Amino acid sequence: EEDPEEASAAAEEDPEEAEAARTVRARGVYERALRSLKETQSDAKEERVMLLEAWRAFEEAVGSDPDVIGKVEKKMPRRVKRKRPIYTEDGTPAGQEEYYDYIFPEEQGAVPNLKILEAAYKWKRQKTGDDEA
């Protein structure tokens, strides 16, 4: 990354270099913002998605190399539809609601364990259902 003082000196000499320096600084801002959201607010997934979409739009607007745009897109999450139970005020179950969750590439390691756990619960339900029938 470039030093801001060097970037401003470059801006005085050549407008194209100034543009490149601003682009480099802007990428640094996006990277720091993404890191900050990831480290300090791990549950702010929608905010991270919005930041990544803005970053991708920025890279496309400045005419970045497809490799640079690809790096940003690799950080984009996968959108997954999930269900969670809904409870009334007195605590009785009131059905389920569907919601969208985001699975980021760095979180992919936890997903296979969840699938194994879901399969185990399904197997247990089948076994207990067969015993009662």
Side-chain angles (χ1 to χ4, degrees), residues 3 14 18 37 46 69 97 120:
D3 184 28
D14 183 9
L37 278 175
E46 289 184 18
I69 296 171
E97 84 174 312

Side-chain angles (χ1 to χ4, degrees), residues 56-74:
R56 180 177 53 197
F58 164 76
E59 293 293 354
E60 291 170 352
V62 296
S64 295
D65 185 39
D67 293 339
V68 175
I69 296 171
K71 286 180 184 178
V72 175
E73 288 178 346
K74 284 180 184 174

Side-chain angles (χ1 to χ4, degrees), residues 82 110-119:
R82 296 197 173 166
V111 175
N113 296 336
L114 291 176
K115 288 185 180 181
I116 291 172
L117 192 60
E118 288 174 8

Side-chain angles (χ1 to χ4, degrees), residues 19-34:
E19 177 95 16
R22 285 195 299 269
T23 302
V24 168
R25 286 197 309 268
R27 284 186 186 129
V29 170
Y30 280 114
E31 288 171 3
R32 283 194 318 271
L34 186 63

Side-chain angles (χ1 to χ4, degrees), residues 43-109:
D43 59 333
K45 292 183 176 186
E46 289 184 18
E47 288 83 353
R48 285 171 61 188
V49 171
M50 289 172 32
L51 177 68
L52 285 167
E53 287 172 350
W55 189 358
R56 180 177 53 197
F58 164 76
E59 293 293 354
E60 291 170 352
V62 296
S64 295
D65 185 39
D67 293 339
V68 175
I69 296 171
K71 286 180 184 178
V72 175
E73 288 178 346
K74 284 180 184 174
K75 296 177 184 191
M76 295 292 284
R78 199 166 38 96
R79 187 174 168 194
V80 182
K81 187 187 289 189
R82 296 197 173 166
K83 294 181 181 179
R84 61 181 157 216
I86 301 174
Y87 298 101
T88 59
E89 291 180 14
D90 62 352
T92 58
Q96 291 191 338
E97 84 174 312
E98 290 185 346
Y99 69 100
Y100 288 99
D101 193 15
Y102 296 98
I103 300 175
F104 287 87
E106 63 268 10
E107 297 170 349
Q108 288 287 86

